[in-house]
Amino acid sequence: MDPVFHIRSFIGTFDEDWYDVGFHENVTLEIEIVLEGRGLFEWPERKVFVESGHVVVIPPGIPHRFAAVSKVRFGVFHLQHMPPTLRDVADKLAQGGAQPRVYALSRLDRDRFEKLFREWLRVHSSTPKDRSRTNAVWAELLLLYLHEHSQSDLQAMTITKAADFLRENLRQHVQMADLADLTGMTVAGFRRTFEKIYRLSPKQYQQQCRMQEAKWLLSATDKDLNEIAEQVGFHRLHSFSQWFKSAEGVSPSAWRKRQKTMHGREHGP
């Protein structure tokens, strides 16, 4: 009889004076995601400072320890006796399992992962009808998310910070040269690396972020159209309306009305 798949997961918060007393090793695959703060991760061959958005993948049998540098919050899960489909994804993250691996998520991807992880913890603490299958499906989903969105090289980690900058500055028309300076790359190198990671140009990425934010503001707030237009980078309502209609086929006001109608049907008697 095959061993039963086992997963243990939690979110832990530690003060800045917390540290592991000594090196320890696990029989499980351990994955730690820094959700907030900064810490130090160490194994016999190396020390690495980790901060919000970093993902640490620790194969079984490797001595390691953590220490807090500031107040820090981790999302943690341990996986043991994984089914073949899950093992395949885990192997891609562990990359052979000889050494720990450190990845990075952009701030947006980290926030999305935390929501996903918290939902998993809620499911895990309940009483699903088929616990074994539910655990395996959720674990595969979480690992696939990390594999899809994590970056492992320093250039890519820098690019994710540039993407966060674009998303946080929707009101500004950010120049490509400024982003290249931010990452320490040439303009051509920055554009090429950005498109490789996001499959969009920096301008297309920011426009996508503008549309996501505009739709959220239209559907989830009562802000008037002028305020929404300004918040996503348009100084004139007419320009915002034209841009929105060219992408969605309807004006912002019509789109908002349609969303409210649909929402009303979903919650109607």
Side-chain angles (χ1 to χ4, degrees):
M1 183 176 178
D2 293 333
V4 177
F5 169 56
H6 176 71
I7 178 169
R8 181 169 67 90
S9 46
F10 58 91
I11 291 177
T13 302
F14 305 93
D15 292 328
E16 60 273 9
D17 57 354
W18 168 82
Y19 60 92
D20 285 327
V21 175
F23 285 99
H24 64 280
E25 56 187 76
N26 302 310
V27 296
T28 58
L29 172 70
E30 179 181 356
I31 300 178
E32 303 248 358
I33 303 91
V34 187
L35 301 173
E36 183 180 14
R38 195 161 185 256
L40 176 67
F41 171 62
E42 182 179 3
W43 68 102
E45 289 80 15
R46 193 177 170 195
K47 294 180 181 180
V48 179
F49 283 102
V50 291
E51 59 188 34
S52 181
H54 282 172
V55 180
V56 183
V57 180
I58 311 162
I62 294 180
H64 63 279
R65 62 185 177 188
F66 283 92
V69 175
S70 68
K71 187 172 182 178
V72 64
R73 182 161 49 92
F74 291 104
V76 183
F77 52 109
H78 292 263
L79 304 164
Q80 189 177 20
H81 306 314
M82 290 176 277
T85 54
L86 184 55
R87 167 59 63 187
D88 181 60
V89 185
D91 287 345
K92 290 176 182 176
L93 282 170
Q95 296 185 22
Q99 295 290 328
R101 300 287 173 179
V102 180
Y103 300 95
L105 295 170
S106 73
R107 197 172 81 171
L108 176 63
D109 289 332
R110 179 209 64 200
D111 290 346
R112 286 174 172 169
F113 180 84
E114 181 171 358
K115 289 177 182 177
L116 194 64
F117 190 68
R118 287 186 180 278
E119 179 62 18
W120 149 245
L121 292 178
R122 186 194 66 76
V123 170
H124 190 55
S125 66
S126 65
T127 53
K129 295 177 181 178
D130 188 342
R131 179 171 290 279
S132 178
R133 184 171 177 80
T134 298
N135 287 353
V137 169
W138 268 95
E140 186 173 355
L141 175 63
L142 291 165
L143 263 63
L144 280 170
Y145 185 98
L146 293 177
H147 180 254
E148 181 68 26
H149 297 284
S150 297
Q151 306 297 336
S152 58
D153 63 86
L154 291 175
Q155 268 197 341
M157 292 182 189
T158 304
I159 289 291
T160 61
K161 291 182 179 179
D164 285 342
F165 182 84
L166 283 169
R167 188 173 187 88
E168 291 164 3
N169 292 274
L170 296 180
R171 298 188 185 201
Q172 301 178 28
H173 294 276
V174 182
Q175 298 299 312
M176 188 79 70
D178 294 335
L179 289 171
D181 286 343
L182 183 69
T183 59
M185 301 181 192
T186 64
V187 171
F190 170 76
R191 182 187 288 110
R192 184 169 57 250
T193 308
F194 193 101
E195 290 182 358
K196 179 181 177 182
I197 294 170
Y198 287 98
R199 296 181 177 85
L200 295 169
S201 70
K203 182 177 180 180
Q204 289 170 331
Y205 178 84
Q206 191 179 47
Q207 291 292 76
Q208 183 184 81
C209 294
R210 282 195 170 107
M211 182 59 73
Q212 291 170 348
E213 182 70 7
K215 285 181 175 180
W216 184 85
L217 290 168
L218 287 166
S219 62
T221 75
D222 293 324
K223 292 183 177 182
D224 65 51
L225 294 183
N226 280 296
E227 188 175 357
I228 292 173
E230 184 177 349
Q231 198 161 331
V232 298
F234 291 87
H235 299 300
R236 296 174 59 236
L237 177 58
H238 179 68
S239 300
F240 169 67
S241 297
Q242 280 190 322
W243 168 77
F244 192 98
K245 188 172 183 179
S246 68
E248 295 297 316
V250 294
S251 68
S253 56
W255 189 90
R256 170 181 261 176
K257 184 177 180 181
R258 186 172 65 187
Q259 292 300 305
K260 289 184 176 180
T261 301
M262 291 172 59
H263 185 73
R265 287 174 182 165
E266 289 173 0
H267 294 82

